[in-house]
């Protein structure tokens, strides 16, 4: 709640507190300020996750998950795997490490450079994004993330490590993080 | 309102840099959760499928917890005659153990790493000839009891299988093996990018950097790769 108030009500709060501290003179202020926040699809947002620009067999897609805006969604194996080579793979094997290159384009459409990486804390051994041009570097923290200047992009891949999990379908969540270069202390 | 809240929830760290964000119009950070659905499959149905053959020798291949393995020892209950192991000071060949099928969408190079000392895998099965196509890296390349198999990476198109993978080995004073090996598959480009193999271009360039056509998939596929 505090954060929400801080962001949306910043102008009001700042003005009021300065005044209150200085003189304690007025009883109340009600100041209307306009704020416009548009929510965008992943392929047009500040951090673009364009899951339709790349990828095959439906492994990556932009899907309306009910909020009205499209989000990047990844499925391994993709629903259309059989359309490509006539095979019908059911998944990744146990105790296996898979890399799927070129699943989506990540682009920084903000106004300053950001470092992009992913965080995962789920059931499988590991999930991470990587730059398809440098598949060996898993972008698991800010220190080994990819820095994107404004307008810059890279082709994102997914690294999946099944570990010792039993057979089945796992609905996992990966957090894609883009942080201003140098941290959030602006 | 719902929309606005959604925005904030999706950008958990925005508040921390809120002042800067409003002051400059920059975004300081985005943290976005995205869904990934992953199916874990039996080895025989996986994207890189590893499947026991129907041959009698497949009894040496174990299947535990949906993962294949190789067991030539007294603890393998599949072996009716209950042998205790291979002979010392001998060469033993196991043909037709398992198939490797590329069920992915791109061609991949396949090889096996971490092969035990004195043992090697091969991928051909021609009558009674000794295997001469090595599969991947391992000590077998410098210890060629079977005529020096090449340690090539073998190319599999989508849907293609490397059938009847076997292994062989032997020598004097053999040691027991109790370890694991790594079956690798990667697109040619991945092999290049991750420096997994040695690139010997069909066009005779010294390195991919010298080759203006390097990015052409056909060239990558036809290069001679060695682990």
């Amino acid at each position: 709640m505090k954060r929400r108030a801080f962001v949306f009500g910043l102008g009001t709060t700042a003005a009021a507190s300065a005044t209150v501290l200085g003189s304690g003179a007025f009883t109340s202020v009600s100041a209307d300020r306009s704020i416009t926040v548009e929510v965008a699809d992943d392929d047009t947002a500040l951090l673009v996750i364009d899951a339709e620009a790349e990828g095959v067999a439906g492994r990556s897609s932009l899907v309306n998950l009910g909020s009205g805006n499209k989000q990047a969604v990844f499925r391994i194996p993709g629903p259309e795997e059989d359309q490509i080579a006539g095979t019908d793979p059911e998944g990744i094997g146990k105790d296996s490490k898979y890399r799927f290159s070129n699943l989506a384009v990540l682009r920084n459409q903000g106004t300053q450079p950001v470092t992009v990486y992913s965080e995962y804390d789920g059931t499988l051994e590991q999930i991470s994004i990587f730059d398809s041009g440098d598949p060996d570097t898993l972008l698991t923290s800010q220190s080994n993330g990819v820095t994107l200047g404004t307008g810059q992009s890279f082709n994102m891949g997914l690294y999946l490590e099944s570990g010792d999990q039993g057979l089945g379908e796992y609905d996992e969540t990966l957090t894609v993080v883009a942080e201003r270069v140098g941290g959030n202390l602006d | 309102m719902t929309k606005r809240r959604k925005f904030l929830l999706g950008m958990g760290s925005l508040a921390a840099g809120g002042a800067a964000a409003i002051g400059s119009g920059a975004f300081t950070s985005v943290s976005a959760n995205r869904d990934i659905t992953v199916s874990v499959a039996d080895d025989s149905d996986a994207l890189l499928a590893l499947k026991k053959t129907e041959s009698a020798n497949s009894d040496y291949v174990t299947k535990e917890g949906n993962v294949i393995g190789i067991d030539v020892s007294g603890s393998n209950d599949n072996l009716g005659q209950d042998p205790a192991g291979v002979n010392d000071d001998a060469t033993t060949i196991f043909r037709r153990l398992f198939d490797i099928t590329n069920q992915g969408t791109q061609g991949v190079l396949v090889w096996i790493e971490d092969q035990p000392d004195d043992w090697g895998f091969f991928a051909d099965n021609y009558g009674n000839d000794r295997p001469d196509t090595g599969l991947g890296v391992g000590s077998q390349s410098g210890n060629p009891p079977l005529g020096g198999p090449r340690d090539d990476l073998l190319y599999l198109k989508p849907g293609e299988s490397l059938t009847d993978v076997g292994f062989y080995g032997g020598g004097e004073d053999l040691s027991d093996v109790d370890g694991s090996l790594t079956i690798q598959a990667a697109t040619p480009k991945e092999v290049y990018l991750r420096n997994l193999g040695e690139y010997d271009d069909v066009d005779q360039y010294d390195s991919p950097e010298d080759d203006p056509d390097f990015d052409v998939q056909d060239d990558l596929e036809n290069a001679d790769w060695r682990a």
Side-chain angles (χ1 to χ4, degrees), chain A residues 50-135:
Chain A
D50 190 347
E52 284 186 341
E54 297 284 342
V56 293
R59 290 172 182 168
S60 54
S61 51
L62 279 171
V63 176
N64 185 337
L65 296 175
S67 69
N69 289 283
K70 292 183 178 178
Q71 290 188 14
V73 172
F74 302 94
R75 284 169 291 186
I76 304 293
E80 314 295 344
E81 297 273 347
D82 59 337
Q83 300 292 314
I84 294 179
T87 59
D88 191 16
E90 294 183 6
I92 64 174
K94 283 181 68 174
D95 291 319
S96 301
K97 303 166 183 175
Y98 275 78
R99 281 179 176 80
F100 298 88
S101 295
N102 300 319
L103 288 176
V105 172
L106 295 193
R107 182 182 303 115
N108 174 12
Q109 296 204 130
T111 57
Q112 56 185 340
V114 291
T115 301
V116 179
Y117 60 97
S118 65
E119 291 175 338
Y120 174 70
D121 181 19
T123 311
L124 298 178
E125 190 71 22
Q126 175 69 288
I127 297 180
S128 170
I129 65 170
F130 63 86
D131 176 354
S132 301
D134 181 17

Side-chain angles (χ1 to χ4, degrees), chain A:
Chain A
M1 285 312 291
K2 223 178 171 184
R3 287 184 173 182
R4 196 176 304 161
F6 180 64
V7 173
F8 283 119
L10 185 68
T12 310
T13 311
S17 56
T19 311
V20 169
L21 288 175
S23 68
F26 65 82
T27 306
S28 77
V29 174
S30 174
D32 289 335
R33 298 290 181 273
S34 72
I35 174 153
T36 306
V37 177
E38 194 157 338
V39 183
D41 293 342
D42 267 356
D43 60 341
T44 57
L46 285 172
L47 175 66
V48 169
I49 309 174
D50 190 347
E52 284 186 341
E54 297 284 342
V56 293
R59 290 172 182 168
S60 54
S61 51
L62 279 171
V63 176
N64 185 337
L65 296 175
S67 69
N69 289 283
K70 292 183 178 178
Q71 290 188 14
V73 172
F74 302 94
R75 284 169 291 186
I76 304 293
E80 314 295 344
E81 297 273 347
D82 59 337
Q83 300 292 314
I84 294 179
T87 59
D88 191 16
E90 294 183 6
I92 64 174
K94 283 181 68 174
D95 291 319
S96 301
K97 303 166 183 175
Y98 275 78
R99 281 179 176 80
F100 298 88
S101 295
N102 300 319
L103 288 176
V105 172
L106 295 193
R107 182 182 303 115
N108 174 12
Q109 296 204 130
T111 57
Q112 56 185 340
V114 291
T115 301
V116 179
Y117 60 97
S118 65
E119 291 175 338
Y120 174 70
D121 181 19
T123 311
L124 298 178
E125 190 71 22
Q126 175 69 288
I127 297 180
S128 170
I129 65 170
F130 63 86
D131 176 354
S132 301
D134 181 17
D136 259 345
T137 305
L138 301 182
L139 312 180
T140 52
S141 69
Q142 192 185 25
S143 60
N144 55 13
V146 166
T147 296
L148 294 178
T150 57
Q152 288 185 336
S153 64
F154 70 90
N155 276 353
M156 186 205 90
L158 277 179
Y159 172 86
L160 306 175
E161 190 172 343
S162 52
D164 205 22
Q165 291 301 318
L167 304 197
E169 185 175 295
Y170 296 86
D171 294 325
E172 301 297 297
T173 300
L174 183 75
T175 305
V176 180
V177 182
E179 282 176 356
R180 192 191 76 95
V181 172
N184 283 337
L185 302 174
D186 239 20

Side-chain angles (χ1 to χ4, degrees), chain B residues 188-189 191-193 195 197-216 219-220 223-225:
Chain B
K189 189 161 188 173
V191 170
Y192 166 68
L193 288 172
N195 208 14
E198 200 175 294
Y199 177 85
D200 183 9
D201 192 285
V202 283
D203 297 330
Q204 306 301 312
Y205 291 99
D206 289 337
S207 77
E209 283 79 11
D210 299 332
D211 179 0
D213 298 326
F214 168 70
D215 263 321
V216 179
D219 190 45
L220 284 169
D224 188 10
W225 295 90

